[in-house]
Short mmCIF file of all heavy atoms in Angstrom, two decimals:
data_model
loop_
_atom_site.label_atom_id
_atom_site.label_comp_id
_atom_site.label_asym_id
_atom_site.label_seq_id
_atom_site.Cartn_x
_atom_site.Cartn_y
_atom_site.Cartn_z
N ARG M 4 -2.16 17.73 -12.06
CA ARG M 4 -1.17 16.81 -12.38
C ARG M 4 -0.50 16.11 -11.18
O ARG M 4 -0.07 16.93 -10.32
CB ARG M 4 -0.08 17.34 -13.32
CG ARG M 4 0.94 16.38 -13.78
CD ARG M 4 2.08 16.88 -14.72
NE ARG M 4 2.70 18.04 -13.96
CZ ARG M 4 3.75 17.79 -13.16
NH1 ARG M 4 4.19 16.58 -12.90
NH2 ARG M 4 4.37 18.79 -12.45
N ARG M 5 -0.47 14.81 -11.07
CA ARG M 5 0.05 14.26 -9.74
C ARG M 5 1.48 13.95 -10.08
O ARG M 5 1.88 13.38 -11.21
CB ARG M 5 -0.84 12.83 -9.53
CG ARG M 5 -2.18 13.07 -9.34
CD ARG M 5 -2.92 11.92 -8.94
NE ARG M 5 -4.39 12.06 -8.93
CZ ARG M 5 -5.08 12.67 -7.82
NH1 ARG M 5 -4.41 12.94 -6.87
NH2 ARG M 5 -6.31 12.71 -7.99
N THR M 6 2.23 13.97 -9.10
CA THR M 6 3.71 13.55 -9.19
C THR M 6 3.87 12.06 -8.92
O THR M 6 4.89 11.56 -9.35
CB THR M 6 4.56 14.22 -8.08
OG1 THR M 6 4.07 13.98 -6.75
CG2 THR M 6 4.41 15.77 -8.20
N THR M 7 2.84 11.45 -8.47
CA THR M 7 2.80 10.07 -8.02
C THR M 7 1.62 9.30 -8.57
O THR M 7 0.52 9.72 -8.35
CB THR M 7 2.83 9.76 -6.48
OG1 THR M 7 3.90 10.57 -5.98
CG2 THR M 7 2.99 8.37 -6.23
N SER M 8 1.80 8.41 -9.56
CA SER M 8 0.64 7.44 -10.10
C SER M 8 0.23 6.55 -8.98
O SER M 8 1.03 6.24 -8.16
CB SER M 8 1.12 6.88 -11.33
OG SER M 8 1.95 6.00 -11.01
N PRO M 9 -0.95 6.03 -9.16
CA PRO M 9 -1.30 4.97 -8.28
C PRO M 9 -0.46 3.74 -8.28
O PRO M 9 -0.15 3.20 -7.26
CB PRO M 9 -2.73 4.61 -8.97
CG PRO M 9 -3.25 5.71 -9.42
CD PRO M 9 -2.13 6.44 -10.09
N ALA M 10 0.12 3.47 -9.45
CA ALA M 10 1.03 2.33 -9.46
C ALA M 10 2.23 2.66 -8.66
O ALA M 10 2.88 1.75 -8.00
CB ALA M 10 1.28 1.95 -10.97
N GLN M 11 2.85 3.89 -8.90
CA GLN M 11 4.06 4.33 -8.17
C GLN M 11 3.83 4.23 -6.62
O GLN M 11 4.62 3.76 -5.94
CB GLN M 11 4.51 5.69 -8.60
CG GLN M 11 5.06 5.65 -10.04
CD GLN M 11 5.34 7.13 -10.49
OE1 GLN M 11 4.55 7.99 -10.22
NE2 GLN M 11 6.58 7.35 -11.03
N TRP M 12 2.56 4.69 -6.37
CA TRP M 12 2.19 4.75 -4.86
C TRP M 12 2.05 3.29 -4.25
O TRP M 12 2.74 3.09 -3.15
CB TRP M 12 0.85 5.55 -4.75
CG TRP M 12 0.30 5.47 -3.29
CD1 TRP M 12 -0.70 4.66 -2.81
CD2 TRP M 12 0.79 6.22 -2.24
NE1 TRP M 12 -0.80 4.86 -1.51
CE2 TRP M 12 0.01 5.77 -1.09
CE3 TRP M 12 1.73 7.15 -2.17
CZ2 TRP M 12 0.12 6.35 0.13
CZ3 TRP M 12 2.03 7.83 -0.83
CH2 TRP M 12 1.16 7.46 0.31
N THR M 13 1.56 2.46 -5.05
CA THR M 13 1.56 1.08 -4.55
C THR M 13 2.98 0.60 -4.43
O THR M 13 3.20 -0.20 -3.37
CB THR M 13 0.74 0.14 -5.52
OG1 THR M 13 -0.52 0.63 -5.58
CG2 THR M 13 0.76 -1.37 -5.14
N SER M 14 3.90 0.76 -5.41
CA SER M 14 5.18 0.34 -5.11
C SER M 14 5.91 0.93 -3.96
O SER M 14 6.65 0.32 -3.25
CB SER M 14 5.99 0.79 -6.58
OG SER M 14 7.32 0.38 -6.37
N GLN M 15 5.68 2.18 -3.80
CA GLN M 15 6.31 2.89 -2.57
C GLN M 15 5.77 2.21 -1.33
O GLN M 15 6.65 2.00 -0.35
CB GLN M 15 5.90 4.34 -2.60
CG GLN M 15 6.62 5.16 -3.79
CD GLN M 15 6.05 6.51 -3.89
OE1 GLN M 15 5.31 7.08 -3.04
NE2 GLN M 15 6.31 7.20 -5.02
N VAL M 16 4.49 2.06 -1.22
CA VAL M 16 3.94 1.44 0.04
C VAL M 16 4.48 0.07 0.18
O VAL M 16 4.80 -0.30 1.32
CB VAL M 16 2.36 1.46 0.00
CG1 VAL M 16 1.77 0.70 1.16
CG2 VAL M 16 1.91 2.96 0.05
N GLU M 17 4.62 -0.68 -0.74
CA GLU M 17 5.20 -2.02 -0.76
C GLU M 17 6.58 -2.01 -0.35
O GLU M 17 6.96 -3.01 0.54
CB GLU M 17 4.88 -2.73 -2.07
CG GLU M 17 3.51 -3.15 -2.35
CD GLU M 17 3.33 -3.82 -3.67
OE1 GLU M 17 4.28 -3.62 -4.52
OE2 GLU M 17 2.18 -4.33 -3.99
N ILE M 18 7.34 -1.11 -0.76
CA ILE M 18 8.73 -1.04 -0.29
C ILE M 18 8.73 -0.74 1.14
O ILE M 18 9.54 -1.41 1.90
CB ILE M 18 9.54 0.02 -1.07
CG1 ILE M 18 9.66 -0.36 -2.50
CG2 ILE M 18 10.88 0.38 -0.39
CD1 ILE M 18 10.19 0.67 -3.34
N ALA M 19 7.99 0.04 1.67
CA ALA M 19 7.82 0.57 3.09
C ALA M 19 7.38 -0.77 3.89
O ALA M 19 8.06 -1.09 4.95
CB ALA M 19 6.97 1.68 3.27
N LEU M 20 6.37 -1.40 3.36
CA LEU M 20 5.91 -2.65 4.09
C LEU M 20 7.07 -3.72 4.11
O LEU M 20 7.03 -4.49 5.21
CB LEU M 20 4.70 -3.20 3.36
CG LEU M 20 3.42 -2.32 3.43
CD1 LEU M 20 2.23 -2.91 2.63
CD2 LEU M 20 2.91 -2.16 4.97
N GLU M 21 7.80 -3.82 3.14
CA GLU M 21 8.93 -4.91 3.22
C GLU M 21 9.97 -4.45 4.36
O GLU M 21 10.40 -5.38 5.03
CB GLU M 21 9.68 -4.81 1.85
CG GLU M 21 8.75 -5.50 0.77
CD GLU M 21 9.50 -5.45 -0.62
OE1 GLU M 21 10.62 -4.88 -0.67
OE2 GLU M 21 9.03 -5.97 -1.50
N ARG M 22 10.22 -3.16 4.46
CA ARG M 22 11.17 -2.73 5.54
C ARG M 22 10.53 -2.90 6.89
O ARG M 22 11.37 -3.13 7.75
CB ARG M 22 11.66 -1.29 5.20
CG ARG M 22 12.47 -1.19 3.83
CD ARG M 22 12.84 0.23 3.67
NE ARG M 22 13.55 0.32 2.36
CZ ARG M 22 14.23 1.34 1.75
NH1 ARG M 22 14.24 2.43 2.57
NH2 ARG M 22 14.70 1.29 0.64
N ILE M 23 9.29 -2.73 6.95
CA ILE M 23 8.62 -2.95 8.23
C ILE M 23 8.64 -4.34 8.63
O ILE M 23 8.81 -4.85 9.70
CB ILE M 23 7.08 -2.45 8.17
CG1 ILE M 23 7.12 -0.94 8.11
CG2 ILE M 23 6.25 -2.85 9.41
CD1 ILE M 23 5.77 -0.23 7.78
N ALA M 24 8.35 -5.27 7.63
CA ALA M 24 8.27 -6.66 7.80
C ALA M 24 9.61 -7.28 8.31
O ALA M 24 9.68 -8.24 9.06
CB ALA M 24 7.80 -7.55 6.58
N ASP M 25 10.79 -6.76 7.62
CA ASP M 25 11.95 -7.30 8.11
C ASP M 25 12.69 -6.57 9.37
O ASP M 25 13.82 -6.87 9.69
CB ASP M 25 13.03 -7.18 6.91
CG ASP M 25 13.31 -5.76 6.50
OD1 ASP M 25 13.22 -4.81 7.29
OD2 ASP M 25 13.88 -5.57 5.34
N GLY M 26 11.89 -5.69 10.00
CA GLY M 26 12.21 -5.19 11.21
C GLY M 26 12.94 -3.90 11.28
O GLY M 26 13.34 -3.30 12.32
N ARG M 27 13.27 -3.45 9.89
CA ARG M 27 14.12 -2.10 9.91
C ARG M 27 13.27 -0.93 10.29
O ARG M 27 13.88 0.04 10.66
CB ARG M 27 14.76 -1.99 8.52
CG ARG M 27 15.92 -2.82 8.31
CD ARG M 27 16.50 -2.54 6.88
NE ARG M 27 15.56 -3.07 5.73
CZ ARG M 27 15.76 -2.65 4.48
NH1 ARG M 27 16.66 -1.71 4.25
NH2 ARG M 27 14.94 -3.05 3.59
N LEU M 28 12.01 -0.96 10.03
CA LEU M 28 11.21 0.17 10.04
C LEU M 28 9.90 -0.14 10.78
O LEU M 28 9.29 -1.24 10.79
CB LEU M 28 10.75 0.55 8.49
CG LEU M 28 10.01 1.89 8.36
CD1 LEU M 28 10.93 3.12 8.76
CD2 LEU M 28 9.68 1.98 6.88
N THR M 29 9.45 0.81 11.64
CA THR M 29 8.05 0.48 12.18
C THR M 29 6.90 1.34 11.55
O THR M 29 5.83 0.93 11.45
CB THR M 29 8.21 0.98 13.72
OG1 THR M 29 9.20 0.33 14.41
CG2 THR M 29 6.85 0.78 14.54
N LYS M 30 7.32 2.55 11.20
CA LYS M 30 6.18 3.44 10.52
C LYS M 30 7.03 4.46 9.66
O LYS M 30 8.09 4.87 9.96
CB LYS M 30 5.38 4.22 11.59
CG LYS M 30 4.54 5.26 10.97
CD LYS M 30 3.90 6.25 12.01
CE LYS M 30 3.11 7.28 11.24
NZ LYS M 30 2.44 8.23 12.18
N VAL M 31 6.44 4.80 8.55
CA VAL M 31 6.88 5.83 7.77
C VAL M 31 5.74 6.58 7.13
O VAL M 31 4.78 5.98 6.77
CB VAL M 31 7.92 5.33 6.64
CG1 VAL M 31 7.16 4.41 5.61
CG2 VAL M 31 8.55 6.42 5.89
N VAL M 32 5.95 8.00 7.03
CA VAL M 32 4.94 8.78 6.37
C VAL M 32 5.34 9.02 4.93
O VAL M 32 6.34 9.77 4.70
CB VAL M 32 4.65 10.10 7.16
CG1 VAL M 32 3.66 10.93 6.49
CG2 VAL M 32 4.18 9.66 8.53
N LEU M 33 4.63 8.52 4.02
CA LEU M 33 4.85 8.77 2.56
C LEU M 33 3.95 9.84 2.01
O LEU M 33 2.70 9.87 2.36
CB LEU M 33 4.73 7.56 1.76
CG LEU M 33 5.63 6.39 2.14
CD1 LEU M 33 5.51 5.16 1.22
CD2 LEU M 33 7.09 6.86 2.08
N ALA M 34 4.33 10.63 1.17
CA ALA M 34 3.56 11.81 0.66
C ALA M 34 3.52 11.85 -0.82
O ALA M 34 4.24 11.28 -1.50
CB ALA M 34 4.26 13.15 1.30
N GLN M 35 2.63 12.72 -1.29
CA GLN M 35 2.49 13.19 -2.71
C GLN M 35 2.39 14.49 -2.90
O GLN M 35 2.06 15.30 -1.92
CB GLN M 35 1.27 12.40 -3.21
CG GLN M 35 1.11 10.85 -3.02
CD GLN M 35 -0.25 10.44 -3.38
OE1 GLN M 35 -0.95 10.99 -4.14
NE2 GLN M 35 -0.60 9.19 -2.83
N ALA M 36 2.48 14.99 -4.13
CA ALA M 36 2.27 16.41 -4.56
C ALA M 36 1.34 16.31 -5.66
O ALA M 36 1.33 15.47 -6.63
CB ALA M 36 3.59 17.06 -4.90
N LEU M 37 0.47 17.46 -5.63
CA LEU M 37 -0.54 17.62 -6.77
C LEU M 37 -0.35 19.01 -7.36
O LEU M 37 -0.53 19.98 -6.55
CB LEU M 37 -1.90 17.48 -6.10
CG LEU M 37 -3.08 17.60 -7.14
CD1 LEU M 37 -3.08 16.50 -8.18
CD2 LEU M 37 -4.50 17.83 -6.42
N SER M 38 0.05 19.15 -8.62
CA SER M 38 0.30 20.40 -9.29
C SER M 38 -1.06 20.86 -9.89
O SER M 38 -1.66 20.25 -10.70
CB SER M 38 1.35 20.21 -10.34
OG SER M 38 1.47 21.50 -10.99
N VAL M 39 -1.50 21.96 -9.26
CA VAL M 39 -2.81 22.46 -9.72
C VAL M 39 -2.68 23.75 -10.61
O VAL M 39 -2.15 24.76 -10.27
CB VAL M 39 -3.62 22.88 -8.54
CG1 VAL M 39 -4.96 23.37 -8.96
CG2 VAL M 39 -3.78 21.72 -7.66
N GLU M 40 -3.04 23.52 -11.97
CA GLU M 40 -2.91 24.73 -12.85
C GLU M 40 -4.17 25.54 -12.73
O GLU M 40 -5.35 25.02 -12.84
CB GLU M 40 -2.64 24.23 -14.28
CG GLU M 40 -2.61 25.29 -15.36
CD GLU M 40 -2.49 24.70 -16.80
OE1 GLU M 40 -2.27 23.48 -16.90
OE2 GLU M 40 -2.77 25.54 -17.83
#
């Protein structure tokens, strides 16, 4: 079970890219978790 869906991931990356584009951010490492039963 993923904590982050592909759609959520796309949204997170786009938020990061917006902050990079406006000069507030140069790089950020975004992560996910995978719950393995």
Side-chain angles (χ1 to χ4, degrees):
R4 181 180 60 83
R5 302 182 188 282
T6 61
T7 307
S8 70
Q11 289 173 317
W12 174 256
T13 297
S14 175
Q15 291 168 12
V16 173
E17 288 175 347
I18 290 171
L20 291 174
E21 289 173 2
R22 297 183 183 187
I23 291 171
D25 66 21
R27 286 184 289 164
L28 189 63
T29 302
K30 172 191 174 179
V31 64
V32 178
L33 297 180
Q35 305 173 19
L37 180 70
S38 179
V39 182
E40 182 182 343

